[in-house]
């Protein structure tokens, strides 16, 4: 993480390639983490005013919105650490909405191994219902006859 | 590490956890593609029946990837999980992560018109989690409820009428 955070655009592009690499190997994981970037995580220059512990939980109502830290890794660690890919970016509070729209698109495109919505099942069901209805009518007719 | 049964309950609980511990709670999204090649017999715990493998040509199917969401607060040790394998849920889950991000960023809760339209079930959850003390959403809830009721009634009526017509036509 010492290398610093990527810009939003760079992060999303590299995340897409990370997903793509998983797909080409057809195996592996992508880990995405989001958390608040609290003032303790910031370099000291950014927090020139020490936080007064005025309330027992000062983080519940911060005076201003805080940025969000987004991380992505391929989960390689221990003996495979040299293959590890780590990406991170910081999203300012006012950029959250736009970021998550694009983030969702990248994720939807990247997570292609998930089950697609099964429409064949619904069709089969419809057919079965029709058949049932038809047979039911037939039985009724027989009874009446 | 409990897996919650529905995405809705997971998101509801996650929002509560984040709003209680906004600084330390993190959400991890794990997308996993399992190995497609048949597992090593030496590695697998139970020996697979050798006769069934050649008879079932399941290999051409795409791998079953899974998506696991985990909300974890290391200070209290609270951990919430949800797992899915449906591609249709991804968009909604990421959008929900965005609204969780708003809570993390200490932004005021925002009414999302898109969510309400697409997933009516989501609306009450948000109000529960974010607008506890606020009385304003009540009106919305009422309106939403009425709207839903009308929709359902309409659908039911339409369906019934259609069924009747079909039957008449057949006879």
């Amino acid at each position: 993480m010492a290398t610093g955070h990527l810009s939003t655009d760079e992060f999303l592009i590299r995340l897409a390639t990370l997903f793509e690499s998983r797909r080409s190997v057809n195996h592996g994981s992508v880990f995405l983490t989001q958390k608040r970037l609290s003032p303790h995580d910031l370099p000291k220059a950014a927090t020139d005013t020490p936080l007064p512990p005025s309330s027992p939980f000062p983080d519940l109502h911060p005076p201003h919105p805080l940025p969000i830290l987004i991380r992505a890794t391929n989960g390689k660690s221990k003996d495979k650490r040299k293959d590890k890919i780590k990406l991170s970016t910081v999203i300012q509070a006012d950029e959250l909405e736009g970021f998550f729209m694009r983030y969702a698109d990248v994720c939807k495109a990247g997570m292609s191994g998930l089950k697609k919505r099964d429409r064949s099942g619904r069709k089969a069901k419809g057919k079965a219902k029709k058949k049932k209805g038809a047979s039911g009518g037939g039985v009724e007719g027989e009874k009446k006859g | 590490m409990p897996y919650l049964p529905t995405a809705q309950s997971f998101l509801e609980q996650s929002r509560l956890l984040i709003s209680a511990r906004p600084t330390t709670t993190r959400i991890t999204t794990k997308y996993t593609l399992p190995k497609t090649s048949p597992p090593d017999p030496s590695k697998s715990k139970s020996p697979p029946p050798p006769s069934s493998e050649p008879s079932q040509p399941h290999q051409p199917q795409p791998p079953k990837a899974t998506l696991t969401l985990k909300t974890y607060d290391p200070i209290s040790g609270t951990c919430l999980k949800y797992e899915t394998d449906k591609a249709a849920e991804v968009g909604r889950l990421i959008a929900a992560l965005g609204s969780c991000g708003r809570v993390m960023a200490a932004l005021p809760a925002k009414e999302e018109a898109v969510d309400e339209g697409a997933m009516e079930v989501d609306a009450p959850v948000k109000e529960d989690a974010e607008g506890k003390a606020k009385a304003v959403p009540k009106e919305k809830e009422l309106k939403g409820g009425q709207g839903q009721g009308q929709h359902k009634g309409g659908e039911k009526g339409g369906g019934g009428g259609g069924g009747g017509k079909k039957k008449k036509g057949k006879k």
Side-chain angles (χ1 to χ4, degrees), chain A residues 10-19 30 32 72 87 103 106:
Chain A
E10 176 100 28
F11 175 83
L12 288 172
I13 292 165
R14 304 253 311 250
L15 178 61
T17 55
L18 179 60
F19 272 122
V30 176
L32 305 164
L87 312 171
Y103 186 53
V106 171

Side-chain angles (χ1 to χ4, degrees), chain A residues 63-77:
Chain A
H64 49 83
L66 291 157
I68 299 290
L69 175 64
I70 311 273
R71 290 190 185 123
T73 84
N74 59 354
K76 300 281 183 203
S77 57

Side-chain angles (χ1 to χ4, degrees), chain B residues 50-63:
Chain B
S51 60
S52 66
E53 264 186 39
S55 64
Q56 291 176 344
H58 275 301
Q59 295 304 323
Q61 276 192 344

Side-chain angles (χ1 to χ4, degrees), chain B residues 43-110:
Chain B
K43 276 188 182 176
S44 63
K45 288 165 192 168
S46 60
S51 60
S52 66
E53 264 186 39
S55 64
Q56 291 176 344
H58 275 301
Q59 295 304 323
Q61 276 192 344
K64 264 192 191 170
T66 54
L67 186 66
T68 309
L69 274 75
K70 184 166 92 170
T71 309
Y72 177 56
D73 169 33
I75 305 301
S76 65
T78 317
C79 181
L80 305 161
K81 277 185 159 190
Y82 175 69
E83 190 178 75
T84 185
D85 59 355
K86 294 182 187 64
E89 277 192 288
V90 175
R92 193 160 58 84
L93 288 172
I94 302 286
L97 290 184
S99 69
C100 285
R102 285 187 74 85
V103 184
M104 279 184 186
L107 286 170
K110 194 188 140 206

Side-chain angles (χ1 to χ4, degrees), chain A residues 118-133:
Chain A
D118 196 6
R119 299 203 183 271
S120 61
R122 202 185 290 172
K123 271 185 190 172
K125 263 188 187 177
K127 276 183 186 174
K129 266 188 185 175
K130 271 189 183 175
K131 274 185 185 175
K132 261 191 183 178

Side-chain angles (χ1 to χ4, degrees), chain A residues 28 30 32 36 59 97 115, chain B residues 23 29 31 33 85 87 104 110:
Chain A
V30 176
L32 305 164
R36 172 186 282 187
D59 60 329
E97 203 173 330
K115 267 193 208 162
Chain B
T23 305
T29 310
Y31 170 69
L33 276 166
D85 59 355
M104 279 184 186
K110 194 188 140 206

Side-chain angles (χ1 to χ4, degrees), chain B residues 6-17:
Chain B
T6 63
Q8 203 186 329
S9 61
F10 168 80
L11 295 169
E12 186 180 350
Q13 297 296 320
S14 296
R15 276 204 195 89
L16 290 173
L17 180 57

